[in-house]
C-alpha cells in the first residue's frame, strides 16, 4: 500500500516537473520553452483544413480560389527548437471555452487571424450550427452548440478617432472609448501597426491629439508608442486579468524588399514559394518591434505576447501576392489556409497550457 502511495506521489512529481519544463514561458527562469524560436518543417499532414470547404474566407485571403498555382506553402509546420507545438484541437478549444467570448481587436491582420480561427473551428466541427451577427463595430460568429463566440472588433489604432465639429477627424492618442466592450470578453487578442505610417488619402484622420495639444502630424513611431502606452495603461487600470486573458500580437511583417532576405532587386512576394530556411531572418526585426517590446514589458498585469514576428518573416511565401479577389499585389496579408493557422495554433497552445496566461518575461 505504502509503496503504492509513494509511487503515486513520485509520478505526480514527475508529472509536475514535466509540466513545468514543457511550460510555456513560466516566469522565473525555470527551463522554459520559447514557442517562438524555431523553424519551418515540411509536414504532409498540414494544412489543417481544406480552404475550399471553409465558407467564411474573404476574397482578399482566398488564394487557391483566386488561382494560386503552387501548394508547397500549405505543408509547413512550425517547429519550436526545444519542444513541440500541440496540434490544434478545435473541439477541445470550444469545449474549454463553452459559453465564452474570444475577441480579436485591431486592423485587417486581426481580420486575417479571426477568419483563420473560424476555418479551423469549422473544419473540426463542420456540423456545428453557426450564428453570425454584426453591428457597426463587432462581427460575431457563434458556434451554437457550445455557445462560444469568436468575435472581431476592427480598430486600426486601438486608440480613438473622433469627428469634431469644425475641425475634422482627430486621432486621440490618449483615449480608448471602446474598452468597456472589450473588457467583457474572456480572451482578447490585440494588434495594431499597419496604419501608423499611412499618409495622404490613406490616412483616416486630420489631426493628432496628445494630451491637450492638437497637432497636424508628428513622428509616427512616437505616435505609435504613445498609443500603445495608452493601451498598456488601460490594461493595467481596467482589465480584470483573472477573468480576461490578454494577448498582444507582435508586428506582422510584409515582404516588399528582397534585400531583407538576400534577394536584392526583388520588390514583392510574387515568385516566393518556399520559406526561409533556419531560425533567423536576415533583415532582422522591424523597428516597430522594439517599440512594442519596450511598452509591453512595462505592463504589470499578466499579458502574453503572441510573438509571431520572426516566424512570419520567414514566410515570404505565405502572402496572397496577386492571388486574391481584388488583383492588387498583397505581400502584407496572408493566405487562408496558411500562416495565420499557425498563429492560432500558438494561441491555442498558450490558452491550454495553464489557467493563467503567461506572461511577458523580460
Ligand atoms: C478540397 O475541397 C474541394 C471541394 O470539396 C475538393 O474539390 C478538393 O479536392 C479538396 N482538396 C484537397 C486537397 O483535398
Ligand atoms: C456531418 O453531417 C453529415 C451529414 O449529416 C455526416 O455525414 C457527417 O458524418 C457529419 N460529420 C461529422 C464530423 O460529424
Ligand atoms: C455590437 O455588438 C457587441 C457584441 O454583441 C455589443 O457588445 C455592442 O454593444 C454592440 N454595439 C452596438 C452599437 O450595438
Ligand atoms: C486575482 O486573483 C488573485 C489571486 O487569486 C488575487 O490576489 C487578486 O486580488 C485578483 N484580482 C482581482 C482584480 O480580482
Ligand atoms: C536548410 O538548412 C539545413 C541545415 O543547415 C540543410 O540541411 C538543408 O539542406 C537546408 N534546406 C534548404 C532547402 O536549403
Ligand atoms: C520575439 O521573438 C524574437 C525572436 O525570437 C525576440 O528577439 C524578441 O525579443 C521577442 N519579442 C518579444 C516581445 O518577446
Amino acid at each position: 500500500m505504502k509503496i503504492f502511495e509513494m509511487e503515486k506521489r513520485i509520478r505526480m512529481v514527475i508529472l509536475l516537473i514535466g509540466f513545468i519544463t514543457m511550460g510555456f514561458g513560466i516566469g522565473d527562469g525555470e527551463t522554459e520553452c520559447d514557442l517562438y524560436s524555431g523553424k519551418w518543417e515540411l509536414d504532409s499532414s498540414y494544412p489543417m483544413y481544406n480552404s475550399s470547404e471553409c465558407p467564411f474566407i474573404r476574397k482578399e485571403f482566398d488564394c487557391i480560389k483566386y488561382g494560386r498555382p503552387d501548394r508547397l506553402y500549405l505543408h509547413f509546420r512550425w517547429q519550436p527548437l526545444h519542444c513541440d507545438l500541440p496540434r490544434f484541437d478545435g473541439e477541445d478549444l470550444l469545449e474549454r471555452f463553452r459559453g465564452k467570448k474570444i475577441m480579436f481587436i485591431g486592423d485587417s491582420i486581426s481580420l486575417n487571424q479571426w477568419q483563420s480561427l473560424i476555418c479551423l473551428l469549422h473544419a473540426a466541427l463542420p456540423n456545428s450550427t453557426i450564428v453570425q451577427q454584426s453591428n457597426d463595430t463587432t462581427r460575431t460568429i457563434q458556434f451554437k452548440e457550445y455557445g462560444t463566440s469568436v468575435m472581431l472588433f476592427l480598430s486600426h489604432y486601438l486608440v480613438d478617432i473622433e469627428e469634431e465639429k469644425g475641425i475634422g477627424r482627430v486621432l486621440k492618442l490618449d483615449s480608448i472609448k471602446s474598452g468597456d466592450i472589450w473588457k467583457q470578453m474572456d480572451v482578447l487578442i490585440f494588434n495594431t501597426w499597419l496604419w501608423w505610417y499611412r499618409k495622404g488619402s490613406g490616412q483616416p484622420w486630420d489631426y493628432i491629439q496628445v494630451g491637450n495639444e492638437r497637432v497636424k502630424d508628428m513622428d509616427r513611431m512616437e505616435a505609435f508608442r504613445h498609443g500603445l502606452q495608452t493601451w498598456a495603461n488601460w490594461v493595467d487600470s481596467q482589465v480584470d486579468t483573472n477573468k480576461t486573458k490578454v494577448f498582444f500580437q507582435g508586428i506582422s511583417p510584409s515582404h516588399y524588399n528582397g534585400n531583407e532576405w538576400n534577394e536584392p532587386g526583388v520588390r514583392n512576394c510574387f515568385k516566393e514559394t518556399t520559406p526561409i530556411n533556419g531560425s533567423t531572418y536576415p533583415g532582422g526585426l522591424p523597428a516597430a518591434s522594439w517599440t512594442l517590446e519596450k511598452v509591453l514589458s512595462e505592463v504589470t498585469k499578466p499579458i502574453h505576447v503572441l510573438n509571431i514576428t520572426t516566424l512570419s518573416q520567414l514566410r515570404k511565401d505565405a502572402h496572397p501576392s496577386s492571388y486574391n479577389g481584388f488583383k492588387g499585389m498583397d505581400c502584407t496579408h496572408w493566405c487562408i489556409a496558411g500562416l495565420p493557422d499557425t498563429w492560432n495554433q500558438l494561441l491555442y497552445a498558450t490558452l491550454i497550457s495553464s489557467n493563467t496566461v503567461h506572461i511577458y518575461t523580460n
Side-chain angles (χ1 to χ4, degrees), residues 281-326:
Y281 188 63
L285 286 171
S289 292
W290 305 111
T291 305
L292 190 69
E293 197 160 320
K294 176 84 174 43
V295 176
L296 296 186
S297 68
E298 287 162 6
V299 177
T300 51
K301 295 238 172 104
I303 62 168
H304 183 95
V305 182
L306 209 53
N307 187 3
I308 51 86
T309 307
T310 301
L311 68 90
S312 305
Q313 286 180 312
L314 300 173
R315 295 306 306 274
K316 58 186 168 53
D317 59 324
H319 298 285
S321 78
S322 60
Y323 303 109
N324 58 53
F326 68 93

Side-chain angles (χ1 to χ4, degrees), residues 72-303:
L72 192 63
Y73 75 100
L74 290 168
H75 300 298
F76 286 92
R77 173 175 50 77
W78 178 247
Q79 177 61 57
L81 292 180
H82 304 294
C83 56
D84 292 328
L85 201 51
R87 207 174 162 89
F88 184 88
D89 182 338
E91 191 170 357
D92 176 58
L93 183 62
L94 288 175
E95 198 56 69
R96 287 168 189 263
F97 286 86
R98 208 173 250 285
K100 300 231 161 32
K101 293 178 175 153
I102 300 170
M103 184 182 262
F104 292 90
I105 300 160
D107 54 35
S108 53
I109 298 294
S110 296
L111 169 65
N112 222 176
Q113 189 176 358
W114 176 68
Q115 295 216 313
S116 150
L117 183 57
I118 291 163
C119 288
L120 282 163
L121 293 171
H122 175 68
L125 295 146
N127 293 342
S128 173
T129 313
I130 286 178
V131 183
Q132 302 195 49
Q133 270 185 338
S134 8
N135 61 26
D136 285 356
T137 59
T138 312
R139 285 178 230 170
T140 303
I141 289 223
Q142 189 187 53
F143 290 80
K144 192 151 183 263
E145 287 78 4
Y146 295 84
T148 311
S149 295
V150 183
M151 305 163 85
L152 175 72
F153 188 108
L154 276 180
S155 170
H156 295 147
Y157 300 94
L158 303 183
V159 294
D160 299 332
I161 296 177
E162 286 182 303
E163 183 78 42
E164 299 212 336
K165 275 215 178 84
I167 296 165
R169 300 159 302 171
V170 183
L171 175 62
K172 300 195 166 172
L173 295 185
D174 294 295
S175 172
I176 295 190
K177 291 228 169 86
S178 314
D180 290 340
I181 296 176
W182 303 345
K183 68 188 189 190
Q184 295 163 25
M185 304 296 139
D186 300 286
V187 180
L188 295 170
I189 306 105
F190 291 93
N191 134 68
T192 181
W193 168 241
L194 274 187
W195 285 72
W196 288 90
Y197 274 80
R198 293 256 171 130
K199 294 195 172 158
S201 61
Q203 175 188 305
W205 46 264
D206 306 303
Y207 290 91
I208 299 185
Q209 181 152 341
V210 201
N212 294 324
E213 208 185 338
R214 197 164 52 229
V215 294
K216 196 68 192 150
D217 208 342
M218 65 187 281
D219 180 87
R220 297 301 181 88
M221 192 62 88
E222 177 53 23
F224 175 59
R225 194 202 60 73
H226 198 108
L228 279 180
Q229 188 63 58
T230 300
W231 176 85
N233 296 344
W234 172 76
V235 173
D236 273 339
S237 63
Q238 300 288 316
V239 180
D240 175 1
T241 46
N242 287 349
K243 168 182 180 288
T244 303
K245 299 175 189 224
V246 180
F247 291 79
F248 202 102
Q249 191 197 69
I251 306 294
S252 171
S254 51
H255 291 92
Y256 292 101
N257 179 3
N259 288 321
E260 289 178 5
W261 63 93
N262 301 332
E263 289 182 48
V266 170
R267 284 282 158 268
N268 59 46
C269 56
F270 185 54
K271 296 210 169 114
E272 305 299 333
T273 54
T274 55
I276 290 160
N277 201 5
S279 303
T280 51
Y281 188 63
L285 286 171
S289 292
W290 305 111
T291 305
L292 190 69
E293 197 160 320
K294 176 84 174 43
V295 176
L296 296 186
S297 68
E298 287 162 6
V299 177
T300 51
K301 295 238 172 104
I303 62 168

